[in-house]
Amino acid sequence: MLILNKTAGVFSKPSKRNMYEFLRSFNFHSGKLFLHKLVLGIETSCDDTAAAVVDETGNVLGEAIHSQTEVHLKTGGIIPPVAQQLHRENIQRIVQDALSASKVSPSELSAIATTIKPGLALSLGVGLSFSLQLVDQLKKPFIPIHHMEAHALTIRLTNKVEFPFLVLLISGGHCLLALVRGVSDFLLLGKSLDIAPGDMLDKVARRLSLIKHPECSTMSGGKAIEHLAKQGNKLHFDFKPPMQRARNCDFSFSGLHHVIDKMIMQKEKEEGIEKGQILSSAADIAAAVQHTIACHIAKRTHRAILFCKQRDLLCQSNAVLVVSGGVASNLYIRKALEIVTDATQCTLLCPPPRLCTDNGIMIA
Ligand code: KG4
Ligand code: ZN
């Protein structure tokens, strides 16, 4: 295989010549015989550049991912043009790595599937223009993918889950509860009215300056909160779960975020420290925040399960709740959801952590 022409950012304005060079770097006549259809999945909706090749039976033949987390941690959040530039710099290499790992040449692909929404417009654009150029050159079918639907269906790669099932997606950009009735048949039961739980955790972690904490400096906000919470006492702070009286399955996190912000300011005054220094009560705050959002998420999910069962939308005895997204890797939140599923005779399923967060496999 030839070395790729390393022209960073070529796919901002795709040129036929660049794509031709990209395709030429593969050996088109590998002599292998693939009995299954092969799909290349490409994901660039937020801050991960990811690609994978999956066959029609769900076998993952190869994957590659480039995470931008470290860069965005330093700037205190995702700056869309920065994310776009990093996608441009990495997409060609990531797609090539996924194809190489799978030992599949582009000509052997049956289709190219790419996230088209929802997400950051600048990020989505990089994956889309790269894919459309590839599709044009290879004369392959293009499959537009809804990022949330892909998250919801990923569990079917690892577990035999029949429709309908309930899905809870909780991450930095998403928060929704939906009934999955078929591959493209979703009933939205609830969503966040403002920000997503991961976004809130990231903001609280930034406000607590956890990046300066020696044990948390490379962790995402949510992971840092989970880590510190283990050392704290959740009872030292009393934050109320949001929307306790709302008779629906929606979520809200920005009111709680505001209350936590005010509490942090008050504690800084009490401890006589400046914003940017780490509070001695940071672990207690982390434990209370984690507990409060776990309660909120569990209560809204409980309502959704009861609603579906009352209306016979879910199986009475063997219903499945799938939980995915970066926040679903939080073991305390999982435990809270387990209490709900145990009480309602449901089965709780979570994809393995690497499939919970954004990846190319779910798109393929
Ligand atoms: O699904 P994901 O990788 O990206 C999208 O947002 O789509 O999720 C990232 C989010 C971040 O907000 C991060 O703080 C949160 O998931 N997260 C966690 C944990 N690990 C990552 N939140 C709580 N507990 C964790 N262990
Ligand atoms: Zn996602």
Side-chain angles (χ1 to χ4, degrees), residues 43 45-48 69 78 147-148 151 170-174 196-203 205 219-227 290 293 324-333 353 355-359 362:
E43 157 65 33
S45 67
C46 188
D47 58 347
D48 292 304
T69 306
I78 299 175
H147 183 84
M148 307 308 291
H151 267 308
I170 40 177
S171 71
H174 330 299
D199 191 11
M200 192 202 100
L201 290 169
D202 292 340
K203 287 184 163 115
M219 292 179 186
S220 68
K223 203 171 164 53
I225 297 275
E226 181 177 26
H227 179 79
Q290 178 179 255
I293 74 160
S324 192
V327 179
S329 55
N330 184 293
L331 296 182
Y332 191 88
I333 294 172
L355 293 180
C356 272
T357 52
D358 292 351
N359 63 83
M362 71 182 200

Side-chain angles (χ1 to χ4, degrees), residues 16 47 87 116 139 171 206-207 209 260 304 339 342 349:
K16 285 205 167 167
D47 58 347
H87 283 305
I116 56 154
K139 307 282 178 264
S171 71
R206 269 204 301 280
R207 185 62 186 79
S209 302
I260 296 163
I339 293 170
D342 284 352
L349 294 177

Side-chain angles (χ1 to χ4, degrees), residues 184-200:
S184 54
D185 182 6
F186 293 77
L187 176 68
L188 185 64
L189 299 170
K191 60 182 186 329
S192 174
L193 302 176
D194 36 67
I195 57 175
D199 191 11
M200 192 202 100

Side-chain angles (χ1 to χ4, degrees), residues 64-119:
I65 186 159
H66 173 264
S67 165
Q68 306 175 358
T69 306
E70 237 174 84
V71 175
H72 299 311
L73 265 179
K74 281 189 198 124
T75 52
I78 299 175
I79 300 168
V82 174
Q84 179 191 40
Q85 182 56 27
L86 290 169
H87 283 305
R88 283 176 179 165
E89 287 170 13
N90 289 289
I91 189 157
Q92 185 167 308
R93 174 179 63 82
I94 288 299
V95 171
Q96 176 157 21
D97 286 355
L99 286 165
S100 304
S102 60
K103 300 194 170 50
V104 166
S105 78
S107 64
E108 289 164 323
L109 294 170
S110 313
I112 294 162
T114 304
T115 308
I116 56 154
K117 65 177 180 185

